Amino acid sequence: MEPRNNTKFSKFLLLGLSEELELQPLIFGLFLSMYLITVFGNLLIILAISSDTHLHTPMYFFLANLSFVDISFTSTTVPKMLWNIQTQSQVITYEGCITQMYFYILFAELDDFLLAVMAYDRYVAICHPLHYTVIMNPWLCGCLVLVSWVISATYALLHSLMVLRLSFCSDLEIYHFFCETKQLVQLACYDTFLNNTVLCFGAVIIGGGPLTGILYSYSKIVSSICGISSARGKYKAFSTCVSHLSIVSLFYFSGLGVYLSSAATHSSHSSATGSVMYTVVTPMLNPFIYSLRNKDIKRALKSPCEMTRIK
């Protein structure tokens, strides 16, 4: 097929999770509920941490950043999906699609890096408790978050520029509920070898790097916990990692599941359905995981309620 200049086409069609009209109200209600829970739940975590001076520590500083990123991550994809269902339109402009792809990659990678930074924080807290406040000083914490932003923004920009160089054919239907990079590359009427190479290397280096850091940190943590003599000491040390481990497992296993299922079935629909897990469900569950298992967060959330009763 003859490649055409991409500027001639001003829009793509997001086909969503299902094209069956009778399912649209159900999908709309479900995703609206999950989106509102995600936004309000993560906002509560941010407000609790910012309002309670006892939570002004590195661990909660990173958690507040993660909550902000989760709100942004979900807001990149879900509102547009809800708007399309409500207006019964599948259209997204070319510029809107590239913009959505950029911010999707940015916040997905930020999630990745922040989870690795939080694993390093737990490693220092458990393996080097006496030097924790010296090592995890405010300057280092700020630098770790800043470097995460810079790398993620650069990586997202690289992919956006790589897609901008492509020419697209007349078939501009995206079998997804957002502009996913791989889907866009598949629509191109152009040699996509370079794009696919960057996608593969990016997945290995940018995706695998933080995961390697997390696995290394937890190998050291497990080794350190095994060296603790008392059962109570082991439980106390491990309990500080449970929430983070739960989120890491949800994020990586759901992402890996989507990748393996789409590779095995070559189905865009199964990939779109599976991606709901790490783009919507995981950010929604994060506040529950941290608030239900964390006494400090529970106390911070109860404090405003108690003050209101007193007044």
Side-chain angles (χ1 to χ4, degrees):
M1 191 178 289
E2 191 79 17
R4 304 177 188 178
N5 193 294
N6 55 19
T7 56
K8 185 175 180 179
F9 297 96
S10 59
K11 62 186 180 182
F12 290 95
L13 296 178
L14 293 173
L15 300 184
L17 296 173
S18 174
E19 294 185 73
E20 295 182 31
L21 290 175
E22 59 271 19
L23 288 178
Q24 299 309 307
L26 176 63
I27 294 172
F28 181 86
L30 183 63
F31 274 78
L32 178 61
S33 302
M34 290 193 292
Y35 179 65
L36 292 175
I37 292 169
T38 300
V39 171
F40 288 119
N42 282 288
L43 273 178
L44 274 176
I45 295 291
I46 294 170
L47 290 172
I49 291 170
S50 59
S51 62
D52 192 335
T53 53
H54 295 97
L55 300 182
H56 293 177
T57 62
M59 182 176 80
Y60 294 111
F61 170 69
F62 297 134
L63 177 58
N65 276 274
L66 183 68
S67 293
F68 171 76
V69 169
D70 281 341
I71 292 171
S72 305
F73 187 34
T74 310
S75 298
T76 302
T77 57
V78 176
K80 177 59 181 171
M81 177 191 182
L82 296 175
W83 175 258
N84 282 3
I85 294 173
Q86 185 66 21
T87 59
Q88 296 183 356
S89 168
Q90 298 174 321
V91 173
I92 184 169
T93 63
Y94 175 78
E95 295 80 6
C97 193
I98 299 297
T99 303
Q100 187 185 63
M101 184 192 72
Y102 172 83
F103 283 106
Y104 169 78
I105 296 171
L106 169 66
F107 293 120
E109 292 308 320
L110 269 171
D111 246 334
D112 216 0
F113 280 106
L114 284 175
L115 289 174
V117 167
M118 292 171 79
Y120 175 70
D121 173 71
R122 292 300 82 209
Y123 157 72
V124 176
I126 293 171
C127 300
H128 305 283
L130 299 178
H131 301 98
Y132 178 73
T133 53
V134 177
I135 297 172
M136 299 304 294
N137 58 73
W139 184 85
L140 178 64
C141 293
C143 282
L144 288 171
V145 173
L146 179 61
V147 169
S148 298
W149 272 92
V150 170
I151 296 174
S152 301
T154 305
Y155 182 65
L157 182 62
L158 172 64
H159 275 296
S160 300
L161 293 174
M162 292 291 292
V163 171
L164 280 170
R165 63 182 278 276
L166 297 175
S167 294
F168 296 95
C169 303
S170 56
D171 182 15
L172 298 176
E173 294 182 340
I174 300 173
Y175 293 88
H176 220 298
F177 63 94
F178 64 91
C179 292
E180 199 257 342
T181 313
K182 189 178 177 182
Q183 296 270 336
L184 279 173
V185 172
Q186 288 174 349
L187 292 177
C189 289
Y190 194 73
D191 181 15
T192 59
F193 174 76
L194 188 57
N195 292 75
N196 289 321
T197 303
V198 171
L199 276 171
C200 290
F201 275 100
V204 172
I205 298 170
I206 304 296
L211 179 59
T212 302
I214 291 169
L215 293 174
Y216 176 79
S217 295
Y218 273 104
S219 68
K220 292 292 184 181
I221 288 170
V222 169
S223 178
S224 182
I225 290 175
C226 289
I228 299 173
S229 56
S230 68
R232 187 177 179 180
K234 287 181 180 179
Y235 174 78
K236 188 177 180 181
F238 185 72
S239 63
T240 63
C241 304
V242 171
S243 298
H244 180 255
L245 266 176
S246 302
I247 291 171
V248 168
S249 301
L250 270 172
F251 185 80
Y252 278 102
F253 281 122
S254 58
L256 186 63
V258 170
Y259 175 77
L260 292 175
S261 64
S262 62
T265 61
H266 300 286
S267 170
S268 299
H269 184 265
S270 64
S271 174
T273 306
S275 64
V276 171
M277 190 65 190
Y278 67 88
T279 57
V280 184
V281 176
T282 301
M284 180 186 70
L285 292 178
N286 285 358
F288 293 101
I289 291 170
Y290 267 98
S291 60
L292 291 175
R293 297 197 61 87
N294 193 301
K295 293 179 181 178
D296 294 330
I297 294 289
K298 282 182 181 177
R299 188 190 68 245
L301 290 172
K302 286 178 182 176
S303 295
C305 299
E306 291 172 356
M307 289 296 291
T308 304
R309 287 198 199 102
I310 292 170
K311 288 179 181 180

